[in-house]
Amino acid sequence: MKIAMWSGPRNLSTAMMYAFGNRADFAAWDEPFYAAYLEMTGLQHPMRVEILASQPTDPKTVAAAQTGSIPGEKAHFYQKHMCQHMIEGVPRDWMAKVRNVF
């Protein structure tokens, strides 16, 4: 199962991600569209340079990864997403292929 957990800022989303990530059968990703969002908007967030260097900045690449093979060959995939990262130009077709939780 691939779970896309949709969150807004300043809530329990990080705690939820760590809870799922601590399970042996789950892979967990934290804000996979963050680097693409920063690249597309040009916003100067803290640790911008490090984030851009550590994650793909092409939103199509990120979208494909959400529905592709689960990292670490785990049974399940928990994806912590931020609603504000889904700006114009970010694909949304992949969302129909995961379980969305708001």
Side-chain angles (χ1 to χ4, degrees):
M1 177 183 344
K2 295 173 181 161
I3 300 170
M5 178 64 77
W6 293 95
S7 176
R10 308 293 181 251
N11 63 38
L12 296 174
S13 62
T14 301
M16 290 287 295
M17 180 191 66
Y18 285 129
F20 278 93
N22 280 323
R23 291 178 50 129
D25 58 341
F26 266 86
W29 279 4
D30 186 14
E31 300 181 23
F33 286 96
Y34 193 19
Y37 171 78
L38 291 177
E39 180 74 17
M40 294 170 76
T41 62
L43 291 173
Q44 298 300 314
H45 282 194
M47 297 185 61
R48 173 187 164 82
V49 172
E50 294 85 353
I51 293 163
L52 292 173
S54 69
Q55 298 177 2
T57 57
D58 175 23
K60 291 179 183 174
T61 300
V62 178
Q66 305 315 296
T67 60
S69 299
I70 298 175
E73 300 181 12
K74 305 282 181 152
H76 307 291
F77 191 5
Y78 185 93
Q79 307 161 8
K80 178 187 137 190
H81 295 286
M82 301 298 282
C83 297
Q84 73 264 24
H85 294 168
M86 304 311 293
I87 60 175
E88 185 176 337
V90 175
R92 291 175 176 78
D93 58 336
W94 64 273
M95 293 176 186
K97 300 174 186 168
V98 298
R99 298 249 177 157
N100 293 279
V101 180
F102 296 88

